[in-house]
Amino acid sequence: MPSEKRVRTDEMSKETSGKDYAVCDQCRIKKIRCGREKPFCSNCTRLGHKCEWSGNGKKGNQTVLLSHTIEALSKRLESLENALAETQNAVKLLVSGTTTGVDVLAALQSNHTWPTPEDTTPIRFETPVFQRPVGHFIRGHDVEDSERYFDPTSLESLLYNIRDTILEPIVNDKSRSQSVRECALLAQQKFDFLVSREEESVQNGILPTAPPIPILKAMVEPYFATINPHLPIWTKDSFVRIVTALQESDSSDQDLGQVVCSNNLVLMTLAANLSHPPPHSDKLRRFRPIHKSSSIDQDLAKGFLASAKRAIRHAELLLSPRLINVQALLSLCVVAQEHMSPSVFAKLFSLAAQGAKSIGLHDWERGVRERVVDESSRERQCVSYCLYILDKTVCWTVGASPRIPASDICIDATPKSLNNGIMDDLVAKVKLAEINEEIYREIYACRAPARTEEQVRLQISKLDQRLQAWLTDAGIDLDDIGSAAPSGSISKIQMSVGSTCTQLLYMWPFREHPDVMSRRLEASRRCMKLMLHLWRFSAELGYQGIFPRIVASHPPLYLYEICAHLLLEEEEGDSDQELLRSFTEMLQGVTNLQEDDSYNKRLCEVSTILMEVVVAMETGNKRRKMQHAPSPSSTLLSSSASPSYMQLKSPYTPSTDACTQNFESNTSPIQGSSQGTSSLAISGFESLIPAANSGPLEKGSFETFDLLGYSEPQVARGESLVDGELWWN
């Protein structure tokens, strides 16, 4: 009786506690919630694991589980040993010739000691469906059988992705209007021209000369006040010594590294003064008057840009192991990133990294270990950090593997004698660059493995957590950064742009993943809004010189997502279109002085071309609605419109092409019934698009023409494109 009462009491305690219920072994080991479906739970079925039930309860005895596993393995091993012994005996009988092969096979098949799987239900494994992103091979025109590879985040690869995944469906969609399809086709051919356009080479072999000392001295203070804090290549005291050395030496004995550093400092300061902010409201305009650049500033900037090109021509002379030469190459990298082609930027960075390695630049912490923290060690630390940050920029925008790994530099040690926030912000940028290196190594590298949907989910979750930890350490709140006060927030907004672009980088290869599809568009909108926010506030506070480099430091994945949403989904709402329009205007103000082959200049042309397609599509949609509207109301609308309102045109709308004249005729936009796009009635593009009877519409050879001349003259800078009444409103 007492034993029966004890057993009954134990059973009642199990039922009332609610803590003991059956879970499978795999869920118990992984410590995840089990669905408790038998014989196979939902977790094991989804992950392709073998579902085993060796015990009950969340707090099952691990010793019992281990004993069951060992017992099952022992039985299976014994069965395999018996089968192997029988196979050996059968082989001996065949060799001896005492029996036939048929008898041996019958004996083996009738034997019941062969091991059999414990579960005959087939196990389903999830096939990896998310591959690493790949770039594009582009054939050269000047050399036979030459081709160049562009990584998936380079501007050239993004152009091909936009051409093939966004514009190509519009060209082949017969339900769209003729003008929209023709504009999309013309945009495709413009993209081909942008990619295949040859870069200009520097032919001048004259060595650069030092700038006039009065001009150099006048540029030192504004440079170190507005530009150098965001990328500290020099310290102010060391650069003052450079100016003094140039002033005391003859022109024939001047050091080339000091000459290049001086010219680049003047050029970066002049280029900052030539950058114009977009028109703002009166509330923002009261903070600081907008500087009006003169023709003298433009001529000076062009002269110093020519001097920088001559220095690039003789960049090999700066490879001698000296810190001043590394700083000269690093400043040339910054100039090339803003004003020249990405390939020149990559070549200069390669030389700068080589020079830094030759002088042991990244071993700056040796002075910290020896308790010697002087200006030289701080300067070496800043240059090392700047090189590491630019290394990741080259990796994403040009397409190259990282040359400076995080294991080669010291990130944690920070000189305690620096009593301002410049070093704190620089260290935060270095740690963000370290996250970018991890993204490249695990997702974009050649050895990056294919991933299943669950593996992608875990990878994105891990990177989200690390990025959120970085934001917390840097003191950045993305939800409040857009409404921050202008003073003291420039560096925070700059790092917010970097964090949002980093988020897009690890979501970009998994665009079709269900966890990413709902986030990538929102991240792209936030990134573009932060860039516009940074441009306006930096211009009002006099920090506009840093903005072109920030735009050229991040691949425009945000532009792809915004344009794909506008052109493919065609949802109602003008917020994304207004965002793209403001971004295009901002790029036009940034790229006044830059070369046609520069990164920002090409990005501005791409944004303008896409804006033309967006405007053409919106015009077609509105004309279609007007055609279906009742005639009395349409007549009343046309008679009540003012002449000035009807004549105002978009700065992105072509003036003489088919993007604006397709609705002037009463004919159908699509003529004929042939398949593909061969039935387009094309007018005005005879040199670019083949005739309708010449076969299917293809991407033919592109003729050289002025891309910027394709648009109407821009609205005057004093007029507001955002606040004014636009023609489509």
Side-chain angles (χ1 to χ4, degrees), residues 178 182 656-659 661-662 665 680-687 689:
Q178 177 188 6
E182 289 176 357
T656 58
D657 61 352
C659 295
Q661 66 183 4
N662 61 301
S665 62
L680 280 172
I682 303 168
S683 61
F685 296 124
E686 291 81 1
S687 61
I689 306 175

CSV table of all heavy atoms in Angstrom, one decimal, residues 178 182 656-659 661-662 665 680-687 689:
chain,number,residue,atom,x,y,z
A,178,GLN,N,4.0,53.0,-75.8
A,178,GLN,CA,5.1,53.0,-76.7
A,178,GLN,C,6.2,53.9,-76.2
A,178,GLN,O,7.4,53.6,-76.3
A,178,GLN,CB,4.7,53.5,-78.1
A,178,GLN,CG,5.8,53.6,-79.1
A,178,GLN,CD,5.3,54.3,-80.4
A,178,GLN,OE1,4.2,54.7,-80.5
A,178,GLN,NE2,6.1,54.3,-81.4
A,182,GLU,N,10.1,52.9,-75.3
A,182,GLU,CA,11.2,53.5,-76.1
A,182,GLU,C,12.2,54.2,-75.1
A,182,GLU,O,13.4,54.1,-75.3
A,182,GLU,CB,10.7,54.5,-77.1
A,182,GLU,CG,10.0,53.8,-78.2
A,182,GLU,CD,9.3,54.9,-79.2
A,182,GLU,OE1,9.4,56.1,-78.9
A,182,GLU,OE2,8.8,54.5,-80.2
A,656,THR,N,12.7,66.5,-77.4
A,656,THR,CA,12.3,66.2,-78.7
A,656,THR,C,12.2,64.7,-79.0
A,656,THR,O,11.9,64.3,-80.2
A,656,THR,CB,13.4,66.7,-79.7
A,656,THR,OG1,14.7,66.1,-79.3
A,656,THR,CG2,13.6,68.2,-79.5
A,657,ASP,N,12.3,63.9,-78.0
A,657,ASP,CA,12.3,62.4,-78.3
A,657,ASP,C,10.9,61.9,-78.1
A,657,ASP,O,10.0,62.6,-77.7
A,657,ASP,CB,13.3,61.7,-77.4
A,657,ASP,CG,13.0,61.9,-76.0
A,657,ASP,OD1,12.1,62.7,-75.7
A,657,ASP,OD2,13.6,61.2,-75.2
A,658,ALA,N,10.7,60.6,-78.2
A,658,ALA,CA,9.4,60.0,-78.2
A,658,ALA,C,8.9,59.9,-76.8
A,658,ALA,O,7.8,59.4,-76.6
A,658,ALA,CB,9.4,58.6,-78.8
A,659,CYS,N,9.7,60.2,-75.7
A,659,CYS,CA,9.2,60.1,-74.4
A,659,CYS,C,8.1,61.1,-74.0
A,659,CYS,O,7.4,60.9,-73.1
A,659,CYS,CB,10.4,60.4,-73.4
A,659,CYS,SG,11.7,59.1,-73.5
A,661,GLN,N,6.1,62.7,-76.8
A,661,GLN,CA,5.3,63.0,-78.0
A,661,GLN,C,4.4,61.9,-78.5
A,661,GLN,O,3.8,61.9,-79.5
A,661,GLN,CB,6.2,63.5,-79.2
A,661,GLN,CG,7.1,62.4,-79.7
A,661,GLN,CD,8.0,62.9,-80.8
A,661,GLN,OE1,7.9,64.1,-81.1
A,661,GLN,NE2,8.7,62.0,-81.4
A,662,ASN,N,4.4,60.8,-77.7
A,662,ASN,CA,3.7,59.6,-78.2
A,662,ASN,C,2.2,59.8,-78.1
A,662,ASN,O,1.4,59.2,-78.9
A,662,ASN,CB,4.1,58.4,-77.4
A,662,ASN,CG,3.7,58.5,-75.9
A,662,ASN,OD1,4.2,59.4,-75.2
A,662,ASN,ND2,2.9,57.6,-75.4
A,665,SER,N,-0.4,61.8,-81.2
A,665,SER,CA,-1.1,61.2,-82.3
A,665,SER,C,-2.3,60.4,-81.8
A,665,SER,O,-2.3,60.0,-80.6
A,665,SER,CB,-0.1,60.3,-83.1
A,665,SER,OG,0.4,59.3,-82.3
A,680,LEU,N,7.3,48.1,-82.3
A,680,LEU,CA,7.3,49.5,-81.8
A,680,LEU,C,7.3,50.5,-83.0
A,680,LEU,O,8.1,50.3,-83.9
A,680,LEU,CB,8.5,49.7,-80.9
A,680,LEU,CG,8.4,49.2,-79.5
A,680,LEU,CD1,9.7,49.3,-78.8
A,680,LEU,CD2,7.3,49.9,-78.7
A,681,ALA,N,6.5,51.5,-82.9
A,681,ALA,CA,6.5,52.6,-83.9
A,681,ALA,C,7.4,53.6,-83.3
A,681,ALA,O,7.1,54.3,-82.4
A,681,ALA,CB,5.1,53.1,-84.1
A,682,ILE,N,8.6,53.7,-83.9
A,682,ILE,CA,9.7,54.6,-83.3
A,682,ILE,C,9.8,55.8,-84.1
A,682,ILE,O,9.9,55.7,-85.3
A,682,ILE,CB,11.0,53.8,-83.2
A,682,ILE,CG1,10.8,52.5,-82.4
A,682,ILE,CG2,12.1,54.6,-82.6
A,682,ILE,CD1,11.9,51.6,-82.5
A,683,SER,N,9.9,57.0,-83.4
A,683,SER,CA,10.2,58.2,-84.1
A,683,SER,C,11.2,59.0,-83.3
A,683,SER,O,11.1,59.2,-82.1
A,683,SER,CB,8.9,59.0,-84.2
A,683,SER,OG,8.4,59.3,-82.9
A,684,GLY,N,12.2,59.5,-84.0
A,684,GLY,CA,13.2,60.3,-83.4
A,684,GLY,C,14.5,59.5,-83.0
A,684,GLY,O,15.5,60.1,-82.5
A,685,PHE,N,14.5,58.2,-83.0
A,685,PHE,CA,15.6,57.4,-82.5
A,685,PHE,C,16.1,56.5,-83.7
A,685,PHE,O,16.5,55.4,-83.4
A,685,PHE,CB,15.2,56.5,-81.3
A,685,PHE,CG,14.9,57.3,-80.1
A,685,PHE,CD1,13.6,57.2,-79.5
A,685,PHE,CD2,15.7,58.3,-79.6
A,685,PHE,CE1,13.3,57.9,-78.4
A,685,PHE,CE2,15.4,59.0,-78.5
A,685,PHE,CZ,14.2,58.8,-77.9
A,686,GLU,N,16.1,57.0,-84.9
A,686,GLU,CA,16.5,56.1,-86.0
A,686,GLU,C,17.9,55.7,-85.9
A,686,GLU,O,18.3,54.6,-86.3
A,686,GLU,CB,16.2,56.8,-87.4
A,686,GLU,CG,14.7,57.0,-87.7
A,686,GLU,CD,14.1,58.2,-87.0
A,686,GLU,OE1,14.9,58.9,-86.2
A,686,GLU,OE2,12.9,58.4,-87.2
A,687,SER,N,18.8,56.5,-85.3
A,687,SER,CA,20.2,56.2,-85.2
A,687,SER,C,20.5,55.2,-84.1
A,687,SER,O,21.5,54.6,-84.1
A,687,SER,CB,21.0,57.5,-85.0
A,687,SER,OG,20.6,58.1,-83.8
A,689,ILE,N,17.8,52.9,-82.7
A,689,ILE,CA,16.9,51.7,-82.7
A,689,ILE,C,16.7,51.3,-84.1
A,689,ILE,O,16.4,52.1,-85.0
A,689,ILE,CB,15.6,52.1,-82.0
A,689,ILE,CG1,16.0,52.7,-80.6
A,689,ILE,CG2,14.7,50.9,-81.8
A,689,ILE,CD1,14.7,53.2,-79.8
